[in-house]
Amino acid sequence: MSAHANLERRRQAIYGWLLLSPAAVLLTLFAFYPSIATLWSSMFSRGTRRKPTEFVGTENYADLFADPTFWLVVKNNLFYAGVTIPMSIFIALSMALWANGKIRARGFVRTAYFTPTVLPMIAAANLWLFFYTPGLGVLDQIGSLFGLPSVNWLGQPETALWAIIIVTIWKEAGFFMIFYLAALQTIPEDLKEAADIEGASRWTYTRRIVLPLLMPTTLFIAVNAMINSVKLIDHLFILTKGGPSDASKLILYYIWEMAFAFFDAPSAAAMTIMVIAVLGIVAAVQFFYLDKRTHYQ
C-alpha cells in the first residue's frame, strides 16, 4: 500500500510538472534569462574600438545616481504614475457604474467609452497632436472663441507632461472600464434588492457593497496601471520626444535613448534592472498586503 501511494504521489508530481513546463519554458526564455543577462550586462563598461568593455561592478549604478537627468526622469515618472493611476481607475469606475445602469443607448455609451482603447498608440498620439498644435489645434480654436491666447501645450515645460498624462488617461480609462463592467455584472441582484428593502441610499449601497466586491478587480487594474506607467514610449516619440528640456521624459524613453541614441547599453541595462526591482517590490506589496484586505466573493 505504501509503495502504491508513493507511486501515485510521484505520478501526480510528474503530471503537475508537465502542466507547469510550458509556462516555465516561456518564463525562462522571455523573463528570467533576459533579466539575468541584463543584470550581467549592467556590470560592464561601455566598450569602444579603442577601449573594450571591462567589468566595473556597480559603477554604472553609481553613475546613474549621480546623474541629475536620471533623477529628473524619475521625478517625472513618479508624478506621471501618481496622476494617471488613480485618475484612470476613478474615471473607469465612474464610467462602468454609469454604463451598467439602465440608461438609454447603453450599448452606444459602452462602445464610445471603449473606442479609444482599440486605437493604436501611434494613431492616438497623432490624433492628440491635432488637438495640441498651437494656433491650429482644436484646443486653441476653442480657446480663441473665449478670447484666450494660443498655448504651446507640448512645447512648454509646465504643460508638456500634463498633455501626456491626459492622453494616457483618455487611452486607458476605457480599457479598465471593461474589467469593472464585467465585475459589476457578477454582483447578485439580491444584494441591491436587500439594500432597497433596508432603505439604503444609492451611495451607501455603492460604498458598502459594490466597492468592496470590486476590490479584486481594482487590485488587478492597479497592477496593470502601474506596469503601464513605466512602459510608455509610443506617445513620447510622436508628441514631445521627452522635451522640452526633459520635462516630459519618462524612464522607458530614457532607457531607449541611452541604449540606441547614446549607445550606452550598460547604463540602459542598469536602469532596466532598477525598474524591474521597483516593480517587483511594489507588486509584492500590492499582492501580499492589499490582497489580504481584499474581499473575494
Side-chain angles (χ1 to χ4, degrees):
M1 185 66 180
S2 178
H4 178 73
N6 290 334
L7 181 61
E8 183 64 25
R9 190 180 300 111
R10 187 177 303 173
R11 183 180 301 169
Q12 290 179 357
I14 294 174
Y15 182 68
W17 280 108
L18 288 175
L19 291 176
L20 288 174
S21 59
V25 170
L26 291 176
L27 285 173
T28 301
L29 290 177
F30 299 106
F32 301 143
Y33 173 74
S35 299
I36 295 173
T38 302
L39 176 62
W40 181 249
S41 177
S42 70
M43 296 182 180
F44 287 82
S45 64
R46 178 173 57 175
T48 62
R49 289 186 176 181
R50 295 184 178 182
K51 186 179 180 181
T53 60
E54 58 182 11
F55 185 81
V56 294
T58 59
E59 184 177 321
N60 290 319
Y61 296 89
D63 291 341
L64 283 176
F65 285 126
D67 183 9
T69 302
F70 171 74
W71 289 111
L72 176 60
V73 171
V74 170
K75 185 184 74 171
N76 289 343
N77 223 132
L78 289 176
F79 180 77
Y80 171 84
V83 176
T84 57
I85 293 175
M87 287 301 298
S88 297
I89 292 176
F90 174 77
I91 294 175
L93 178 59
S94 301
M95 293 191 303
L97 290 172
W98 187 34
N100 192 55
K102 297 178 180 179
I103 59 175
R104 293 182 179 180
R106 184 168 58 178
F108 174 78
V109 171
R110 294 178 179 179
T111 303
Y113 284 158
F114 186 70
T115 298
T117 302
V118 301
L119 291 176
M121 300 289 281
I122 301 299
N126 279 283
L127 177 65
W128 277 92
L129 188 62
F130 172 70
F131 279 79
Y132 288 138
T133 301
L136 301 175
V138 174
L139 295 181
D140 275 7
Q141 293 293 328
I142 295 175
S144 64
L145 298 177
F146 300 94
L148 298 177
S150 177
V151 178
N152 189 0
W153 301 98
L154 299 174
Q156 298 182 145
E158 299 81 10
T159 58
L161 186 57
W162 279 106
I164 300 296
I165 288 172
I166 291 172
V167 175
T168 301
I169 295 174
W170 172 82
K171 189 80 167 62
E172 291 188 348
F175 177 67
F176 296 150
M177 180 207 69
I178 296 299
F179 295 101
Y180 274 128
L181 195 59
L184 285 170
Q185 293 175 357
T186 64
I187 298 178
E189 289 291 335
D190 297 346
L191 298 177
K192 183 65 171 65
E193 295 174 0
D196 292 338
I197 293 175
E198 294 294 331
S201 64
R202 178 178 296 182
W203 166 244
T204 301
Y205 169 74
T206 302
R207 182 169 59 90
R208 295 294 184 88
I209 298 177
V210 174
L211 294 183
L213 291 177
L214 291 179
M215 275 303 296
T217 305
T218 301
L219 180 62
F220 170 79
I221 291 175
V223 172
N224 280 271
M226 180 193 66
I227 295 173
N228 291 342
S229 68
V230 296
K231 72 175 189 177
L232 179 72
I233 191 170
D234 312 68
H235 293 168
L236 294 181
F237 272 111
I238 302 298
L239 296 175
T240 65
K241 298 190 185 310
S245 301
D246 298 329
S248 63
K249 187 174 292 184
L250 302 179
I251 191 70
L252 186 58
Y253 187 89
Y254 193 43
I255 291 174
W256 173 88
E257 195 174 54
M258 293 291 288
F260 299 104
F262 304 147
F263 300 103
D264 190 357
S267 294
M271 280 190 286
T272 303
I273 291 300
M274 286 191 285
V275 170
I276 293 174
V278 171
L279 287 178
I281 292 172
V282 175
V285 171
Q286 287 178 320
F287 278 111
F288 292 105
Y289 178 77
L290 296 179
D291 189 65
K292 294 180 180 179
R293 288 159 176 77
T294 300
H295 175 77
Y296 290 91
Q297 190 174 3

